[in-house]
């Protein structure tokens, strides 16, 4: 078991299976099917992300370097949470961008029945060592364990 420490953006505790992206995560392209077409599994629709395309994101520990894409990013994260189609958590190896942070924080405030912990600044080692299918546990203080 390996432990990492990051900065808490949206608090919470969760244990979930990892899905890992080594490239930027385009929130709109990835989650559009879940938001617009009713895909409750939130199957990643971003054809430009070979790590995630076609994989289920809902209920998974989404491990990523950063988000990319348009200014809709924060709204997409909030809407996924409001619809109950969000990842179990979002774990960033790099510092989170302002749009993803805003969407995550708004979701934690406006969707009190939905929990999606968001931790950033976990480091490159985190993203290099975590693999799809690993059991990820997020703790309230920003500690993340992978086994």
């Amino acid at each position: 078991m390996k432990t990492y420490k990051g900065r808490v953006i949206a608090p919470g505790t969760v244990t979930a299976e990892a899905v890992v992206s080594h490239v930027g995560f385009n929130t709109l392209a990835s989650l559009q099917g879940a938001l617009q077409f009713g895909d409750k599994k939130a199957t990643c629709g971003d054809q430009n992300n070979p790590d995630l395309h076609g994989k289920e994101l809902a209920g998974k520990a989404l491990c990523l370097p950063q988000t990319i894409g348009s200014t809709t990013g924060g709204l997409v994260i909030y809407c996924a949470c409001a619809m109950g189609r969000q990842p179990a958590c979002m774990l960033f190896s790099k510092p989170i961008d302002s749009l993803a942070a805003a969407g995550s924080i708004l979701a934690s405030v406006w969707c009190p029945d939905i929990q999606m912990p968001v931790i950033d600044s976990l480091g490159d080692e985190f993203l290099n060592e975590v693999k799809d299918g690993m059991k990820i546990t997020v703790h309230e203080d920003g500690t993340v364990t992978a086994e």
Side-chain angles (χ1 to χ4, degrees):
M1 178 173 16
K2 187 84 176 185
T3 301
Y4 306 89
K5 178 75 168 152
R7 177 177 62 160
V8 176
I9 304 301
T13 59
V14 71
T15 299
E17 180 182 317
V19 289
V20 181
S21 176
H22 296 285
V23 298
F25 180 75
N26 184 320
T27 54
L28 181 58
S30 297
L31 295 171
Q32 185 173 11
L35 303 182
Q36 193 172 11
F37 304 114
D39 175 13
K40 294 181 180 175
K41 295 177 182 180
T43 305
C44 181
D46 184 1
Q47 297 176 0
N48 294 316
N49 189 326
D51 295 333
L52 297 178
H53 183 253
K55 294 183 181 174
E56 294 178 17
L57 302 177
K60 304 291 184 177
L62 178 57
C63 306
L64 64 154
Q66 61 195 16
T67 59
I68 58 172
S70 70
T71 56
T72 63
L75 180 61
V76 168
I77 292 170
Y78 163 72
C79 287
C81 290
M83 296 173 78
R85 297 177 182 158
Q86 76 284 356
C89 57
M90 293 180 75
L91 306 173
F92 292 79
S93 63
K94 300 186 181 309
I96 194 171
D97 64 279
S98 60
L99 296 170
S104 302
I105 293 166
L106 289 174
S108 72
V109 173
W110 291 350
C111 303
D113 296 334
I114 299 292
Q115 177 179 266
M116 184 185 72
V118 178
I119 311 296
D120 81 340
S121 301
L122 288 163
D124 292 335
E125 180 185 350
F126 166 75
L127 204 58
N128 290 333
E129 293 187 9
V130 173
K131 306 292 183 236
D132 282 357
M134 291 179 82
K135 179 178 153 187
I136 305 293
T137 301
V138 177
H139 304 274
E140 195 78 30
D141 67 352
T143 302
V144 174
T145 56
E147 50 185 307

